[in-house]
Amino acid sequence: MNTDYNLLSKQIRELAEISHDPIAVMANAAALLFEAMKDVNWAGFYLVKEDALILGPFQGKVACVRIEKGKGVCGTAWMEDDVQVVEDVHKFPGHIACDSASNSEIVIPIHGGDGVIAVLDIDSPIFNRFNQEDKAGLMEFAKTIEDIIE
């Protein structure tokens, strides 16, 4: 069964009606994705703070706290301001292994103001877990979050 990204976007909009606080919105977004997506072991956000990505709201095991720009999948997504879909993280140059059970990953930049303010990171223990439908759906979900918190 495929993930209904339109429903998830509608749900995050409804949850954000009370508060547009970015941390609260991201916390609920991480929980929605973690519960709705099959075969994921981590879903959450890294926030741009000065010269690094700092761990934000997430669901899953403990995670890396700080990621430098251009390092790993998240740092690359931030630096390039481009979605990263990685079929096998072990083959990704400079991959940062926060959880050895993760085998594939998708990272979507979140924009605000003049550029990237965060990245949405989702990991899976399944190789090649994320497809073009996931990419398109998560990009739309990320756009919904951007609209809410702007």
Side-chain angles (χ1 to χ4, degrees), residues 13-59:
R13 280 192 193 284
E14 290 174 7
L15 288 166
E17 285 181 5
I18 295 170
S19 174
H20 294 260
D21 178 82
I23 299 300
V25 171
M26 289 179 192
N28 274 331
L32 280 172
L33 292 169
F34 192 75
E35 291 299 319
M37 294 182 76
K38 185 178 177 187
D39 297 321
V40 299
N41 58 338
W42 202 91
F45 295 86
Y46 281 93
L47 312 175
V48 174
K49 301 280 186 176
E50 297 174 14
D51 62 342
L53 292 171
I54 303 299
L55 182 63
F58 74 93
Q59 297 282 308

Short mmCIF file of all heavy atoms in Angstrom, two decimals, residues 13-59:
data_model
loop_
_atom_site.label_atom_id
_atom_site.label_comp_id
_atom_site.label_asym_id
_atom_site.label_seq_id
_atom_site.Cartn_x
_atom_site.Cartn_y
_atom_site.Cartn_z
N ARG A 13 -1.82 20.30 7.91
CA ARG A 13 -2.50 21.61 7.87
C ARG A 13 -3.50 21.73 9.02
O ARG A 13 -3.57 22.76 9.69
CB ARG A 13 -3.23 21.82 6.54
CG ARG A 13 -2.35 22.24 5.42
CD ARG A 13 -3.18 22.70 4.22
NE ARG A 13 -2.39 22.82 3.03
CZ ARG A 13 -1.55 23.81 2.77
NH1 ARG A 13 -1.40 24.77 3.65
NH2 ARG A 13 -0.86 23.84 1.66
N GLU A 14 -4.29 20.68 9.24
CA GLU A 14 -5.28 20.70 10.31
C GLU A 14 -4.62 20.77 11.68
O GLU A 14 -5.07 21.50 12.56
CB GLU A 14 -6.19 19.48 10.21
CG GLU A 14 -7.12 19.55 9.01
CD GLU A 14 -7.94 18.28 8.80
OE1 GLU A 14 -7.89 17.36 9.65
OE2 GLU A 14 -8.62 18.19 7.76
N LEU A 15 -3.55 20.03 11.87
CA LEU A 15 -2.84 20.06 13.15
C LEU A 15 -2.22 21.43 13.41
O LEU A 15 -2.06 21.83 14.57
CB LEU A 15 -1.76 18.97 13.18
CG LEU A 15 -2.27 17.54 13.31
CD1 LEU A 15 -1.16 16.55 12.98
CD2 LEU A 15 -2.83 17.29 14.71
N ALA A 16 -1.88 22.14 12.35
CA ALA A 16 -1.22 23.44 12.50
C ALA A 16 -2.21 24.60 12.64
O ALA A 16 -1.78 25.73 12.83
CB ALA A 16 -0.31 23.69 11.30
N GLU A 17 -3.50 24.32 12.59
CA GLU A 17 -4.48 25.40 12.71
C GLU A 17 -4.37 26.12 14.04
O GLU A 17 -4.58 27.32 14.12
CB GLU A 17 -5.90 24.87 12.50
CG GLU A 17 -6.21 24.58 11.05
CD GLU A 17 -7.63 24.08 10.84
OE1 GLU A 17 -8.42 24.04 11.81
OE2 GLU A 17 -7.95 23.74 9.70
N ILE A 18 -4.01 25.41 15.09
CA ILE A 18 -3.90 26.01 16.43
C ILE A 18 -2.61 26.82 16.55
O ILE A 18 -2.60 27.89 17.15
CB ILE A 18 -3.96 24.92 17.52
CG1 ILE A 18 -5.34 24.26 17.48
CG2 ILE A 18 -3.67 25.49 18.89
CD1 ILE A 18 -5.45 23.03 18.33
N SER A 19 -1.53 26.31 16.00
CA SER A 19 -0.23 26.98 16.11
C SER A 19 0.61 26.73 14.87
O SER A 19 0.72 25.60 14.42
CB SER A 19 0.53 26.50 17.34
OG SER A 19 1.83 27.04 17.37
N HIS A 20 1.22 27.79 14.38
CA HIS A 20 2.12 27.69 13.23
C HIS A 20 3.58 27.63 13.70
O HIS A 20 4.49 27.80 12.89
CB HIS A 20 1.93 28.88 12.29
CG HIS A 20 0.59 28.91 11.63
ND1 HIS A 20 0.40 28.48 10.35
CD2 HIS A 20 -0.62 29.28 12.09
CE1 HIS A 20 -0.88 28.59 10.03
NE2 HIS A 20 -1.51 29.08 11.07
N ASP A 21 3.79 27.41 15.00
CA ASP A 21 5.14 27.33 15.53
C ASP A 21 5.92 26.26 14.76
O ASP A 21 5.48 25.10 14.69
CB ASP A 21 5.12 26.98 17.02
CG ASP A 21 6.51 26.84 17.58
OD1 ASP A 21 7.11 27.88 17.90
OD2 ASP A 21 7.01 25.70 17.66
N PRO A 22 7.07 26.62 14.19
CA PRO A 22 7.81 25.66 13.36
C PRO A 22 8.18 24.36 14.07
O PRO A 22 8.08 23.29 13.47
CB PRO A 22 9.07 26.44 12.95
CG PRO A 22 8.68 27.87 13.04
CD PRO A 22 7.69 27.94 14.17
N ILE A 23 8.59 24.43 15.32
CA ILE A 23 8.98 23.21 16.04
C ILE A 23 7.78 22.31 16.25
O ILE A 23 7.86 21.09 16.05
CB ILE A 23 9.67 23.55 17.38
CG1 ILE A 23 10.95 24.36 17.14
CG2 ILE A 23 9.96 22.29 18.19
CD1 ILE A 23 12.00 23.66 16.31
N ALA A 24 6.64 22.89 16.63
CA ALA A 24 5.43 22.09 16.83
C ALA A 24 4.98 21.45 15.52
O ALA A 24 4.60 20.28 15.49
CB ALA A 24 4.32 22.96 17.41
N VAL A 25 5.03 22.22 14.44
CA VAL A 25 4.62 21.70 13.13
C VAL A 25 5.54 20.55 12.71
O VAL A 25 5.09 19.49 12.28
CB VAL A 25 4.61 22.82 12.07
CG1 VAL A 25 4.41 22.25 10.67
CG2 VAL A 25 3.52 23.85 12.39
N MET A 26 6.85 20.75 12.87
CA MET A 26 7.80 19.71 12.49
C MET A 26 7.66 18.47 13.37
O MET A 26 7.81 17.34 12.88
CB MET A 26 9.23 20.25 12.53
CG MET A 26 9.53 21.24 11.44
SD MET A 26 11.22 21.86 11.57
CE MET A 26 11.17 23.22 10.44
N ALA A 27 7.38 18.65 14.64
CA ALA A 27 7.20 17.51 15.54
C ALA A 27 6.01 16.66 15.09
O ALA A 27 6.11 15.42 15.00
CB ALA A 27 7.00 17.98 16.98
N ASN A 28 4.89 17.30 14.79
CA ASN A 28 3.73 16.55 14.31
C ASN A 28 3.97 15.96 12.93
O ASN A 28 3.52 14.85 12.64
CB ASN A 28 2.49 17.43 14.32
CG ASN A 28 1.79 17.45 15.66
OD1 ASN A 28 1.85 16.48 16.42
ND2 ASN A 28 1.14 18.55 15.98
N ALA A 29 4.69 16.68 12.09
CA ALA A 29 5.00 16.16 10.75
C ALA A 29 5.84 14.89 10.84
O ALA A 29 5.57 13.91 10.15
CB ALA A 29 5.71 17.22 9.92
N ALA A 30 6.85 14.90 11.71
CA ALA A 30 7.70 13.72 11.89
C ALA A 30 6.87 12.54 12.38
O ALA A 30 7.03 11.41 11.89
CB ALA A 30 8.83 14.02 12.86
N ALA A 31 5.97 12.79 13.33
CA ALA A 31 5.13 11.72 13.87
C ALA A 31 4.19 11.17 12.79
O ALA A 31 4.03 9.95 12.66
CB ALA A 31 4.33 12.22 15.06
N LEU A 32 3.59 12.07 12.00
CA LEU A 32 2.69 11.62 10.92
C LEU A 32 3.43 10.73 9.93
O LEU A 32 2.95 9.65 9.57
CB LEU A 32 2.12 12.82 10.17
CG LEU A 32 0.96 13.56 10.79
CD1 LEU A 32 0.67 14.83 10.00
CD2 LEU A 32 -0.28 12.68 10.85
N LEU A 33 4.59 11.16 9.49
CA LEU A 33 5.35 10.39 8.50
C LEU A 33 5.82 9.06 9.06
O LEU A 33 5.73 8.03 8.39
CB LEU A 33 6.55 11.21 8.01
CG LEU A 33 6.21 12.42 7.17
CD1 LEU A 33 7.45 13.28 6.96
CD2 LEU A 33 5.60 12.02 5.84
N PHE A 34 6.30 9.07 10.29
CA PHE A 34 6.81 7.85 10.91
C PHE A 34 5.71 6.79 11.03
O PHE A 34 5.95 5.60 10.83
CB PHE A 34 7.42 8.18 12.28
CG PHE A 34 8.22 7.06 12.87
CD1 PHE A 34 9.49 6.75 12.38
CD2 PHE A 34 7.73 6.31 13.93
CE1 PHE A 34 10.23 5.72 12.93
CE2 PHE A 34 8.48 5.29 14.49
CZ PHE A 34 9.73 4.98 13.99
N GLU A 35 4.51 7.23 11.36
CA GLU A 35 3.39 6.30 11.51
C GLU A 35 2.80 5.87 10.18
O GLU A 35 2.34 4.75 10.04
CB GLU A 35 2.30 6.93 12.38
CG GLU A 35 2.70 7.10 13.83
CD GLU A 35 3.01 5.78 14.52
OE1 GLU A 35 2.29 4.79 14.30
OE2 GLU A 35 3.99 5.75 15.30
N ALA A 36 2.80 6.76 9.19
CA ALA A 36 2.11 6.48 7.92
C ALA A 36 2.97 5.73 6.90
O ALA A 36 2.43 5.00 6.07
CB ALA A 36 1.62 7.78 7.30
N MET A 37 4.26 5.92 6.97
CA MET A 37 5.13 5.32 5.94
C MET A 37 5.59 3.93 6.36
O MET A 37 6.03 3.73 7.49
CB MET A 37 6.35 6.22 5.68
CG MET A 37 5.98 7.56 5.06
SD MET A 37 7.43 8.58 4.70
CE MET A 37 8.02 7.74 3.22
N LYS A 38 5.48 3.01 5.43
CA LYS A 38 5.91 1.64 5.67
C LYS A 38 7.43 1.53 5.53
O LYS A 38 8.03 2.21 4.69
CB LYS A 38 5.22 0.73 4.65
CG LYS A 38 5.48 -0.74 4.87
CD LYS A 38 4.73 -1.58 3.84
CE LYS A 38 5.09 -3.03 4.06
NZ LYS A 38 4.55 -3.90 3.03
N ASP A 39 8.03 0.70 6.34
CA ASP A 39 9.46 0.39 6.25
C ASP A 39 10.36 1.61 6.42
O ASP A 39 11.32 1.80 5.68
CB ASP A 39 9.79 -0.31 4.92
CG ASP A 39 9.10 -1.65 4.80
OD1 ASP A 39 9.01 -2.36 5.81
OD2 ASP A 39 8.65 -1.99 3.68
N VAL A 40 10.06 2.45 7.41
CA VAL A 40 10.97 3.53 7.78
C VAL A 40 11.38 3.34 9.24
O VAL A 40 10.59 2.87 10.06
CB VAL A 40 10.39 4.94 7.55
CG1 VAL A 40 10.07 5.17 6.08
CG2 VAL A 40 9.19 5.21 8.41
N ASN A 41 12.62 3.70 9.55
CA ASN A 41 13.09 3.56 10.92
C ASN A 41 13.50 4.90 11.53
O ASN A 41 13.92 4.96 12.67
CB ASN A 41 14.24 2.55 11.02
CG ASN A 41 15.42 2.89 10.16
OD1 ASN A 41 15.31 3.61 9.18
ND2 ASN A 41 16.58 2.35 10.51
N TRP A 42 13.35 5.99 10.77
CA TRP A 42 13.64 7.32 11.29
C TRP A 42 12.98 8.34 10.39
O TRP A 42 13.04 8.24 9.16
CB TRP A 42 15.15 7.57 11.32
CG TRP A 42 15.58 8.65 12.28
CD1 TRP A 42 15.94 8.47 13.58
CD2 TRP A 42 15.69 10.06 12.02
NE1 TRP A 42 16.27 9.68 14.14
CE2 TRP A 42 16.13 10.67 13.20
CE3 TRP A 42 15.47 10.85 10.90
CZ2 TRP A 42 16.35 12.05 13.32
CZ3 TRP A 42 15.68 12.23 11.00
CH2 TRP A 42 16.11 12.80 12.20
N ALA A 43 12.33 9.33 10.98
CA ALA A 43 11.74 10.43 10.23
C ALA A 43 11.85 11.68 11.08
O ALA A 43 11.43 11.69 12.24
CB ALA A 43 10.27 10.15 9.90
N GLY A 44 12.45 12.72 10.52
CA GLY A 44 12.58 13.93 11.30
C GLY A 44 13.27 15.05 10.55
O GLY A 44 13.46 14.99 9.34
N PHE A 45 13.66 16.04 11.32
CA PHE A 45 14.18 17.28 10.76
C PHE A 45 15.53 17.63 11.38
O PHE A 45 15.78 17.37 12.55
CB PHE A 45 13.21 18.43 11.04
CG PHE A 45 11.90 18.26 10.34
CD1 PHE A 45 10.87 17.52 10.93
CD2 PHE A 45 11.67 18.83 9.09
CE1 PHE A 45 9.65 17.36 10.29
CE2 PHE A 45 10.46 18.66 8.45
CZ PHE A 45 9.44 17.92 9.04
N TYR A 46 16.35 18.24 10.56
CA TYR A 46 17.57 18.91 11.01
C TYR A 46 17.39 20.38 10.66
O TYR A 46 17.00 20.71 9.54
CB TYR A 46 18.82 18.34 10.33
CG TYR A 46 19.27 17.05 10.93
CD1 TYR A 46 18.84 15.83 10.43
CD2 TYR A 46 20.12 17.03 12.04
CE1 TYR A 46 19.26 14.63 10.99
CE2 TYR A 46 20.54 15.84 12.62
CZ TYR A 46 20.11 14.65 12.08
OH TYR A 46 20.51 13.47 12.65
N LEU A 47 17.66 21.24 11.63
CA LEU A 47 17.44 22.67 11.47
C LEU A 47 18.75 23.39 11.18
O LEU A 47 19.77 23.10 11.82
CB LEU A 47 16.83 23.25 12.75
CG LEU A 47 15.64 22.48 13.32
CD1 LEU A 47 15.21 23.07 14.64
CD2 LEU A 47 14.49 22.47 12.33
N VAL A 48 18.72 24.32 10.24
CA VAL A 48 19.90 25.12 9.93
C VAL A 48 20.12 26.11 11.08
O VAL A 48 19.25 26.93 11.36
CB VAL A 48 19.75 25.87 8.59
CG1 VAL A 48 20.93 26.79 8.35
CG2 VAL A 48 19.59 24.87 7.44
N LYS A 49 21.24 25.99 11.74
CA LYS A 49 21.64 26.89 12.82
C LYS A 49 23.05 27.35 12.52
O LYS A 49 24.01 26.56 12.66
CB LYS A 49 21.61 26.19 14.18
CG LYS A 49 20.26 25.62 14.57
CD LYS A 49 19.35 26.68 15.10
CE LYS A 49 18.07 26.03 15.62
NZ LYS A 49 17.18 26.95 16.23
N GLU A 50 23.18 28.59 12.06
CA GLU A 50 24.46 29.18 11.68
C GLU A 50 25.15 28.34 10.62
O GLU A 50 24.71 28.31 9.49
CB GLU A 50 25.33 29.39 12.92
CG GLU A 50 24.72 30.37 13.90
CD GLU A 50 25.49 30.49 15.19
OE1 GLU A 50 26.65 30.04 15.26
OE2 GLU A 50 24.92 31.06 16.14
N ASP A 51 26.18 27.58 10.97
CA ASP A 51 26.98 26.88 9.97
C ASP A 51 26.79 25.37 9.98
O ASP A 51 27.61 24.64 9.44
CB ASP A 51 28.46 27.21 10.18
CG ASP A 51 28.98 26.74 11.53
OD1 ASP A 51 28.14 26.47 12.43
OD2 ASP A 51 30.20 26.64 11.71
N ALA A 52 25.70 24.89 10.59
CA ALA A 52 25.50 23.44 10.67
C ALA A 52 24.01 23.11 10.72
O ALA A 52 23.17 23.97 10.95
CB ALA A 52 26.20 22.89 11.91
N LEU A 53 23.72 21.82 10.50
CA LEU A 53 22.38 21.29 10.74
C LEU A 53 22.36 20.74 12.16
O LEU A 53 23.23 19.96 12.53
CB LEU A 53 22.07 20.16 9.74
CG LEU A 53 21.91 20.56 8.29
CD1 LEU A 53 21.83 19.32 7.40
CD2 LEU A 53 20.68 21.44 8.09
N ILE A 54 21.37 21.15 12.92
CA ILE A 54 21.22 20.70 14.30
C ILE A 54 19.95 19.87 14.40
O ILE A 54 18.90 20.24 13.86
CB ILE A 54 21.16 21.91 15.26
CG1 ILE A 54 22.41 22.79 15.11
CG2 ILE A 54 20.98 21.45 16.70
CD1 ILE A 54 23.72 22.11 15.43
N LEU A 55 20.03 18.76 15.12
CA LEU A 55 18.90 17.85 15.29
C LEU A 55 17.65 18.59 15.76
O LEU A 55 17.70 19.37 16.71
CB LEU A 55 19.27 16.76 16.30
CG LEU A 55 18.22 15.68 16.55
CD1 LEU A 55 17.93 14.88 15.29
CD2 LEU A 55 18.69 14.76 17.68
N GLY A 56 16.55 18.32 15.07
CA GLY A 56 15.26 18.89 15.42
C GLY A 56 14.28 17.79 15.77
O GLY A 56 14.70 16.67 16.10
N PRO A 57 12.99 18.07 15.69
CA PRO A 57 11.97 17.07 16.02
C PRO A 57 12.10 15.82 15.14
O PRO A 57 12.31 15.94 13.93
CB PRO A 57 10.66 17.79 15.74
CG PRO A 57 10.99 19.24 15.81
CD PRO A 57 12.40 19.36 15.32
N PHE A 58 11.95 14.65 15.77
CA PHE A 58 12.07 13.41 15.01
C PHE A 58 11.35 12.28 15.72
O PHE A 58 10.99 12.37 16.89
CB PHE A 58 13.54 13.04 14.78
CG PHE A 58 14.26 12.52 16.00
CD1 PHE A 58 14.34 11.17 16.27
CD2 PHE A 58 14.87 13.41 16.87
CE1 PHE A 58 15.01 10.71 17.40
CE2 PHE A 58 15.54 12.96 18.00
CZ PHE A 58 15.62 11.60 18.27
N GLN A 59 11.20 11.17 15.00
CA GLN A 59 10.70 9.90 15.52
C GLN A 59 11.71 8.83 15.12
O GLN A 59 12.15 8.79 13.97
CB GLN A 59 9.34 9.55 14.90
CG GLN A 59 8.24 10.53 15.21
CD GLN A 59 7.68 10.34 16.60
OE1 GLN A 59 7.31 9.23 16.99
NE2 GLN A 59 7.63 11.41 17.36
#
